[in-house]
Amino acid sequence: MTVSPMLVRLAAERATGALLRDHGTLYLVDGRVVHAESPAAPGLDVLLTAGGRLPREGWEEAVNRAGARHEVGRFLVDSGRLRDGELEICHLGAVFDAAFFALAPASGPTRFRYGVAHWFGQLRPVSAAAVERETERRRELLDNVWPYPAVDSAPVRPRADEAARTLGTRRRALLAAADGRRTPADLARLLGRPAFHTLLDVRRLAAAGLVTTPLDPVPEAPAPLPSWVGEVADDPDIALLRRLRDALEASL
């Protein structure tokens, strides 16, 4: 099943611009994805600076000096702050991470603004087909691990369990940061990790019983019928109207 028919059409058109959706934006050049961002996913700046690959001052300098030219990525490499391959790998991970959320099922309109370019610039474009395949793969992976998407947006609430001591460093750090108020998106930004990888860890922890899984909301019971309904049913005038209706139908 196609994740985004409009993305497929824009790729076929070799369009350049910004695809705006409910949960994020994809930037295209000649029909290929060159950048993506979503409020649900940490930006490339967070992934680089929180992860210790780049000082915050280095990122801000690149934006200030090269953002207007749409060459922030190129500046980071040319200035020696990052190696070309290192930046490409990190940027590709950020693109797939944000695209996963940007291509989530949407209820609002999808729009495309032709000619719009992102200030980061382009490094290594990715085909729209590859972005769709990776998005589908990630959705299936999450559901195979723990098919309860409510944990993706709810505050992460750890359960006291001795098994948590056997976890690897990454998941132990996630549990330590989970305070019952932070959502997986909050934890991803705090820890400087891709949002999808954080969701995957949370679902694995939920499957292991180490964090709570929110219950689906109980549907509201239908409102009771008012007392006058029963009275109307027994009203002699109503009964008379019904007999007249039946007689008319029989004579037709």
Side-chain angles (χ1 to χ4, degrees), residues 52-100:
R53 292 187 178 94
L54 181 71
R56 169 57 65 174
E57 297 77 15
W59 175 265
E60 293 175 350
E61 180 190 10
V63 173
N64 292 334
R65 296 183 60 178
R69 303 193 307 271
H70 306 104
E71 294 181 353
V72 171
R74 192 72 266 155
F75 179 89
L76 288 171
V77 173
D78 291 345
S79 64
R81 294 191 177 277
L82 291 170
R83 294 177 180 175
D84 201 355
E86 180 184 19
L87 181 58
E88 282 190 10
I89 292 172
C90 191
H91 180 256
L92 185 62
V95 167
F96 282 126
D97 195 40
F100 173 78

Side-chain angles (χ1 to χ4, degrees), residues 15-122:
T16 295
L19 177 62
L20 288 78
R21 293 172 55 89
D22 279 1
H23 306 295
T25 303
L26 272 63
Y27 294 85
L28 280 65
V29 172
D30 293 332
R32 296 169 68 83
V33 179
V34 297
H35 196 72
E37 56 189 15
S38 169
L44 185 61
D45 59 328
V46 175
L47 297 177
L48 287 171
T49 59
R53 292 187 178 94
L54 181 71
R56 169 57 65 174
E57 297 77 15
W59 175 265
E60 293 175 350
E61 180 190 10
V63 173
N64 292 334
R65 296 183 60 178
R69 303 193 307 271
H70 306 104
E71 294 181 353
V72 171
R74 192 72 266 155
F75 179 89
L76 288 171
V77 173
D78 291 345
S79 64
R81 294 191 177 277
L82 291 170
R83 294 177 180 175
D84 201 355
E86 180 184 19
L87 181 58
E88 282 190 10
I89 292 172
C90 191
H91 180 256
L92 185 62
V95 167
F96 282 126
D97 195 40
F100 173 78
F101 298 97
L103 293 175
S107 57
T110 299
R111 303 175 300 281
F112 188 72
R113 296 178 60 189
Y114 285 91
V116 174
H118 195 273
W119 46 262
F120 183 80
Q122 59 174 306

Side-chain angles (χ1 to χ4, degrees), residues 6 52 137 212 248:
M6 182 176 281
R137 186 190 73 84
T212 61
L248 287 171

